[in-house]
Amino acid sequence: CFVCGYNNSVRALTFHHIDPNEKDFTISGSTKSFESIMNEIDKCVLLCQNCHSEVHDKLMCLYINGKVIELKD
């Protein structure tokens, strides 16, 4: 996990789009080409289920390269 470092179970990790406006498709279950999937993954960070939920619920900020990506309310 980009935030907490969790790495025990691959199934507990999810892709989080850094900028939702740049999201072209959901990576999970996609039938796109390998190149398309890799381009989409480049727009993401890997988060564990807990951190992903907290980012979407605005319970934590996500910082990437010193920039706040998700804001708390």
Side-chain angles (χ1 to χ4, degrees), residues 48-73:
C48 70
Q49 291 287 350
N50 288 337
C51 288
H52 199 194
S53 295
E54 289 194 17
V55 167
H56 278 281
D57 290 343
K58 300 183 190 255
L59 298 174
M60 78 164 63
C61 292
L62 183 58
Y63 296 92
I64 298 177
N65 297 327
K67 181 180 174 188
V68 177
I69 303 300
E70 302 286 342
L71 294 174
K72 282 185 172 182
D73 281 343

Side-chain angles (χ1 to χ4, degrees), residues 1-69:
C1 174
F2 178 81
V3 174
C4 72
Y6 176 87
N7 65 356
N8 292 331
S9 173
V10 161
R11 291 177 8 152
L13 298 171
T14 59
F15 291 102
H16 175 75
H17 283 82
I18 296 167
D19 181 350
N21 296 321
E22 292 185 14
K23 180 178 179 176
D24 291 325
F25 59 90
T26 300
I27 296 164
S28 176
S30 178
T31 57
K32 305 282 186 184
S33 71
F34 180 78
E35 183 179 352
S36 294
I37 292 171
M38 292 307 294
N39 287 337
E40 199 66 21
I41 286 173
D42 286 343
K43 303 174 192 177
C44 300
V45 291
L46 203 56
L47 299 178
C48 70
Q49 291 287 350
N50 288 337
C51 288
H52 199 194
S53 295
E54 289 194 17
V55 167
H56 278 281
D57 290 343
K58 300 183 190 255
L59 298 174
M60 78 164 63
C61 292
L62 183 58
Y63 296 92
I64 298 177
N65 297 327
K67 181 180 174 188
V68 177
I69 303 300

